[in-house]
Amino acid sequence: AAKHQGRNAYRIYEVSPEYAREHGMALRSRLRHALGNGELRLVYQPQVDTGSEDIVGMEALLRWEHPDLGPISPAVFVPLAEETGLIVPIGEWVLRTACRQAQEWEQRYGLRLRLGVNLSALQLMEPKLPATVFRALQETGLDPALLELEVTESISIKAAPNLVENLQALHRMGCGIAIDDFGTGAASLDYLRKLPADRIKVDQSFVRNIGVDPDDEAIVRATIEMAHRLKRTVVAEGVETEAHLAFLREQACDELQGYLFCRPLPVVSFERLLAERQQLMGLPTAVPA
Ligand code: C2E
Ligand code: MG
Ligand code: MG
Ligand code: MG
């Protein structure tokens, strides 16, 4: 099958982590107005089924277009938003915006794509998180079964009160739970035992070394096997090369996400992709919104 190439999605971040450390104060205060000023937006990266290479889901990823500095990486500004507590209102906006988008695409293209949304530590500790998610689902009409909340393994279960309870409540609501960046934290196995997770996302630092480092290959292989024995599905992140693809296919990794298939796409580009796919499948063409 053809690889889905992202167009116009490649952006170089101008702000380095060093710059961010030095200008943290200025960035933090600017971030306070980013949401209200419309400087935040979401891009969506497809996730494909390993066998068919068909799009089965997408991950919503946050972008900040700073008026003077240009695009700033979430790896830089999400930590700042956590320090200031801003991640809570920003996270609510992400949830509502992404759920609304997924619901709109389901209606318009007739595709039931799963939507992955990242949650930060601060959001996960909020006792009102389940209510916030419930409201986002109600307001947008998205089926809870299509929403998958991604929890990064770098959050310590012990240091995060309410985390387990919140995830259990979300799971009961019918949402999926994915463990993000699997293998990078200190407590991967603890996470698997204590959280109601349906899926594991193998971190890209391991995937990158497929074909390079036999130890990392062994970790990927073992992670997939363990996940399957525990009846969890596995997504590999950061799939960039045909060699990665061949290895992950051989190991029966369920789904793949990475530049080999598609970069994170702005809304219009994602819609073009969905329209192409719809035509390919011989479905009636959607009426433009
Ligand atoms: P993540 O959740 O692990 O997201 C995957 C990251 O890998 C994304 O980076 C994505 O653009 C990147 N990626 C995807 N495919 C490839 C590939 O083939 N090669 C390489 N090198 N990278 C690839 P991004 O968008 O810069 O996001 C970085 C992190 O920021 C995310 O990691 C997540 O932890 C956080 N983040 C992003 N959006 C949100 C959000 O809405 N809320 C919260 N709390 N965190 C977010
Ligand atoms: Mg993620
Ligand atoms: Mg990840
Ligand atoms: Mg990551």
Side-chain angles (χ1 to χ4, degrees):
K3 301 286 180 290
H4 314 286
Q5 278 304 329
R7 288 181 223 102
N8 306 323
Y10 187 60
R11 304 293 292 273
I12 299 198
Y13 296 119
E14 321 252 332
V15 175
S16 66
E18 294 74 41
Y19 180 99
R21 262 196 300 280
E22 224 171 289
H23 298 85
M25 282 269 276
L27 282 178
R28 265 192 293 273
S29 71
R30 180 72 221 196
L31 190 54
R32 235 176 282 285
H33 308 288
L35 193 55
N37 287 350
E39 294 165 11
L40 298 181
R41 66 193 177 102
L42 292 177
V43 291
Y44 297 86
Q45 186 176 34
Q47 298 173 332
V48 305
D49 175 79
T50 307
S52 63
E53 291 185 29
D54 211 2
I55 304 174
V56 288
M58 60 207 165
E59 179 175 7
L61 294 160
L62 192 53
R63 296 291 178 263
W64 180 16
E65 185 78 29
H66 191 287
D68 310 320
L69 299 171
I72 301 180
S73 166
V76 167
F77 74 81
V78 167
L80 296 179
E82 287 196 348
E83 284 167 34
T84 50
L86 276 172
I87 195 67
V88 174
I90 290 175
E92 279 194 41
W93 177 84
V94 168
L95 263 169
R96 238 180 304 113
T97 307
C99 287
R100 190 180 303 122
Q101 189 64 80
Q103 163 67 9
E104 189 192 316
W105 284 340
E106 186 190 349
Q107 296 242 304
R108 195 172 344 154
Y109 299 96
L111 303 170
R112 283 181 59 81
L113 301 179
R114 196 184 46 235
L115 168 71
V117 173
N118 293 285
L119 295 179
S120 82
L122 214 57
Q123 290 175 281
L124 285 159
M125 289 191 275
E126 288 246 313
K128 68 175 176 66
L129 176 70
T132 302
V133 173
F134 185 75
R135 208 170 339 108
L137 290 167
Q138 271 208 323
E139 279 174 20
T140 61
L142 185 71
D143 180 352
L146 290 182
L147 179 61
E148 181 170 80
L149 302 157
E150 299 194 3
V151 182
T152 174
E153 211 213 89
S154 59
I155 303 167
S156 148
I157 294 182
K158 277 200 210 77
N162 301 317
L163 180 135
V164 176
E165 294 80 356
N166 275 344
L167 292 178
Q168 282 166 347
L170 291 167
H171 203 244
R172 277 195 303 273
M173 218 181 273
C175 300
I177 309 289
I179 305 179
D180 205 350
D181 311 322
F182 191 85
T184 58
S188 310
L189 300 181
D190 209 32
Y191 251 68
L192 266 181
R193 288 167 64 203
K194 294 192 178 138
L195 303 185
D198 315 281
R199 301 217 301 164
I200 286 173
K201 299 190 77 178
V202 180
D203 192 65
Q204 44 184 276
S205 60
F206 300 107
V207 175
R208 191 183 302 136
N209 284 336
I210 290 172
V212 178
D213 184 341
D215 287 353
D216 283 346
E217 283 184 3
I219 291 172
V220 173
R221 196 180 290 127
T223 301
I224 294 171
E225 182 174 342
M226 178 180 64
H228 285 164
R229 281 181 191 250
L230 295 171
K231 309 235 177 333
R232 265 73 158 196
T233 59
V234 186
V235 194
E237 295 191 302
V239 181
E240 290 189 357
T241 69
E242 293 288 345
H244 297 165
L245 171 62
F247 180 91
L248 291 162
R249 191 170 269 156
E250 199 177 283
Q251 302 307 319
C253 184
D254 304 281
E255 291 175 23
L256 310 169
Q257 180 180 349
Y259 295 170
L260 179 64
F261 301 97
C262 200
R263 288 177 179 275
L265 298 176
V267 168
V268 281
S269 311
F270 203 97
E271 290 179 345
R272 215 178 293 138
L273 192 70
L274 295 180
E276 277 169 23
R277 183 178 175 280
Q278 199 179 27
Q279 270 193 329
L280 219 72
M281 295 177 66
L283 296 171
T285 317
V287 185

